Amino acid sequence: MKIIRLFIIAALLTTSCKKNFLDVVPDNVATIDNAFTSKTEAEKYLFTCYSYLPISFDPTYNVGLSASDEVFVLDPTSAIRSTNVLRLPYGDQNISSPIANFMTGDRDGTASYKAIRDCNIFLENISNLSKVPDLDIDTRERWISEVTFLKAYYHFLMFRAYGPIPVIDKNLPISVAIEETYVKRQPVDSVVNYIANLLDEAALHLPNSINNISSELGRITKPAALGLKAKLLVTAASPLYNGNSDYAAFRNKDGAALFNPAYSAEKWQHAADACKAAIDLATAQGVKLYEFPAQTIPLNATTMTQMSIRNSMSEPWNSELIWGNTTSITWACTFLQRCGIGQFDFDNAVASKTAGHPLMGPTIKMAKLFYTKNGVPIDEDKTLDFSNISTLRVASHDERFNIKEGETTARLNFDREPRYYADLGFDRGIWYMANSPSKSDENTFWLKARGSETSQSSPVPVCGFYMKKTVNWHMDWNTLTYPSYPYPEMRLADLYLLYAEALNEAQGPQNDVYEYINRVRARAGLTTVQNAWATYSRNPTKYTTKEGMRTIIQRERAIELCFEGHRFWDLLRWKTAAQELSGNITGWVVSGQTPELYYREISFLARHFVAPRDYLWPIDEDDILENPNLVQNPNW
């Protein structure tokens, strides 16, 4: 269904099935009015508004993961779900059948304007006190706030992809003249202000936390609303939207400018203030960086640090989570973990255990992004030589909690920071799990991923790495049991890094900038930014300038939030995608049966990001043809 139809048709409720509290869907009612005759029926419509949340667990839906440079799949046709999303790195985006159509939602799991239509229907009816007579005022206000948040979020998803978008504040009646349905795009600043105001409105009556954890986990809270506002304002203050002259001539058909080319430092300060407000509220509710608790059988400090890192994403409802997405949580979470574990042999496990399609795996570029053990980039560390990442080396006894002692692997895998070993699965790497055969982290699982060691019944990730971070540590290799966990749409480390970024841009390096990035680094087992660069970097004063800290913070986000769907959108808003999403995608020769044959870096695809065209999503050409007021994004 096209955009103009979605704006005016008050369609009946959707009946798609969702998991957890989304299991309840509306009945086949004769009219919309019947959906608001009782609290029970109205609640079903509330959950319909939630049902449009993106299926972030599934990489074949999650553009933020599939289109980034973090991961790669060589043959998208081998995916469990046939999808165009996996074709984005190949340059297949187009206007006749856009990939991940965030506007009309008829492909790839996106449904923003349809979602907004249902949100508007809900708000119009629930705001009418003559309807749903058995609904108490407190519940009514909370539901209105939840759906107001969802309405803002669905607008945000489109803003992030398209920039200036049509804002749909109210549904038009079905009797309206067709000319009134020809909506036009609003300027970027207007869109941002509209979404921010919705989030302020939503926050008024949202709960600070979820009390009924048996049935309401995943529902929206006030910290989630403030967190989304922070992310919105950071995006709006970023180079793509703040002082971007590339779109100075981009206008509606009536001549109205859609981008403000003037740079505003004040936008960064507003964003920093919003981040701090979100952090303070979340902290007051007990949200804190996750730390792995002590176990009955003591684990080495190396393992404990890695488990704190891994579980910040995959431990269900952990202390760091601000907003967890439960949409299709069971099957989609299983899919994500299957992508993470892939197919390989383990020592101390069932040989050649089939674990499902390893849909995608991290690239060598992603592996290079992680710091050295000294907390600086591998090309900056003056004490360690990574000039030849393929050089072979044997793991020592002291390295046994990261790499199997006595086994040979590549230089790239040695002397790296704890997040490298926590987030990546690699040949000869240790992979501790709850069902460790030794009952400890000594003599536990370790990965054998060379050609002669892997089952060939299904492909292995083309680059030779696995998304270890996405695999819950209670997953059982023998029974292929995949524990569910909510997808972390927002966690505290994300807000810490957003705050450090916004404050650095507004005021330059100062105490809070260092403080909040160092909190994330401390949980990751790293020394402070100041100490790391002053002691180990070839550029020891880098952290003392705004430009230097900008680079450090951007890399910190890439590492800390890897495989969570943030990096692609970060690269767009930073206007660095033209550099980062172009060039060769490389990996190891996974068919190699010896270290000498396996550890050779080869290219699989040459990516091409067309700037400035690819910074904004194309609108379906049919929608452009049907609506004479709608203009296409530049160069599409």
Side-chain angles (χ1 to χ4, degrees), residues 235-295:
T235 301
S238 298
L240 181 60
Y241 298 111
N242 189 4
N244 186 358
S245 60
D246 291 342
Y247 299 120
F250 186 22
R251 298 176 180 273
N252 268 332
K253 296 216 176 149
D254 60 5
L258 294 175
F259 271 75
N260 181 357
Y263 174 77
S264 170
E266 187 178 13
K267 289 183 178 180
W268 280 115
Q269 187 60 55
H270 287 325
D273 294 341
C275 288
K276 190 60 165 59
I279 289 170
D280 288 346
L281 178 62
T283 302
Q285 305 312 309
V287 178
K288 59 183 179 180
L289 295 181
Y290 174 80
E291 292 186 5
F292 189 64
Q295 301 298 294

Side-chain angles (χ1 to χ4, degrees), residues 309-321:
I309 297 165
R310 285 170 61 183
N311 288 4
S312 66
M313 176 179 184
S314 58
E315 182 68 10
W317 305 110
N318 67 72
S319 64
E320 188 169 341
L321 193 63

Side-chain angles (χ1 to χ4, degrees), residues 35-288:
F36 298 96
T37 56
S38 70
K39 179 179 179 180
T40 299
E41 292 301 318
E43 189 173 41
K44 295 176 184 178
Y45 210 128
L46 168 68
F47 297 152
T48 294
C49 295
Y50 270 97
S51 73
Y52 296 106
L53 288 174
I55 307 174
S56 303
F57 280 106
D58 188 339
T60 67
Y61 286 116
N62 190 336
V63 171
L65 181 60
S66 299
S68 76
D69 54 355
E70 303 166 273
V71 295
F72 181 61
V73 54
L74 183 61
D75 181 12
T77 62
S78 69
I80 294 176
R81 185 182 73 86
S82 177
T83 174
N84 287 331
V85 170
L86 296 177
R87 296 296 308 178
L88 285 169
Y90 293 81
D92 288 359
Q93 185 61 284
N94 63 94
I95 62 172
S96 62
S97 181
I99 298 174
N101 190 333
F102 289 95
M103 284 195 170
T104 56
D106 49 3
R107 308 174 191 93
D108 301 321
T110 57
S112 287
Y113 277 124
K114 184 178 180 182
I116 291 168
R117 180 203 63 196
D118 277 342
C119 288
N120 282 337
I121 290 172
F122 181 88
L123 292 172
E124 178 182 351
N125 284 275
I126 293 296
S127 297
N128 185 343
L129 297 181
S130 68
K131 297 190 176 183
V132 197
D134 59 339
L135 186 62
D136 63 273
I137 188 62
D138 289 340
T139 303
R140 188 183 297 266
E141 288 178 340
R142 179 187 174 184
W143 287 6
I144 289 172
S145 289
E146 286 182 76
V147 175
T148 300
F149 171 94
L150 293 171
K151 179 178 173 180
Y153 181 63
Y154 298 137
H155 276 94
F156 170 75
L157 292 180
M158 288 189 291
F159 163 68
R160 188 174 62 173
Y162 301 96
I165 58 171
V167 166
I168 308 302
D169 189 48
K170 304 287 183 183
N171 287 346
L172 297 176
I174 199 167
S175 59
V176 73
I178 189 66
E179 291 78 11
E180 293 186 46
T181 70
Y182 294 151
V183 296
K184 62 183 180 180
R185 303 175 73 169
Q186 299 299 311
V188 165
D189 289 345
S190 297
V191 173
V192 171
N193 290 337
Y194 174 77
I195 299 173
N197 289 336
L198 282 182
L199 292 171
D200 285 339
E201 181 182 340
L204 292 176
H205 298 292
L206 286 171
N208 287 331
S209 61
I210 296 299
N211 294 322
N212 189 351
I213 62 175
S214 63
S215 63
E216 293 187 348
L217 287 175
R219 297 275 288 272
I220 301 304
T221 63
K222 187 173 182 178
L226 266 60
L228 180 59
K229 181 181 178 182
K231 182 161 288 191
L232 166 73
L233 295 185
V234 169
T235 301
S238 298
L240 181 60
Y241 298 111
N242 189 4
N244 186 358
S245 60
D246 291 342
Y247 299 120
F250 186 22
R251 298 176 180 273
N252 268 332
K253 296 216 176 149
D254 60 5
L258 294 175
F259 271 75
N260 181 357
Y263 174 77
S264 170
E266 187 178 13
K267 289 183 178 180
W268 280 115
Q269 187 60 55
H270 287 325
D273 294 341
C275 288
K276 190 60 165 59
I279 289 170
D280 288 346
L281 178 62
T283 302
Q285 305 312 309
V287 178
K288 59 183 179 180

Side-chain angles (χ1 to χ4, degrees), residues 16 23 64 141 151 330 407 457 489 521 545 592:
S16 58
D23 281 339
E141 288 178 340
K151 179 178 173 180
T330 301
E407 290 291 323
S457 61
E489 294 289 350
R521 288 170 65 90
T545 68

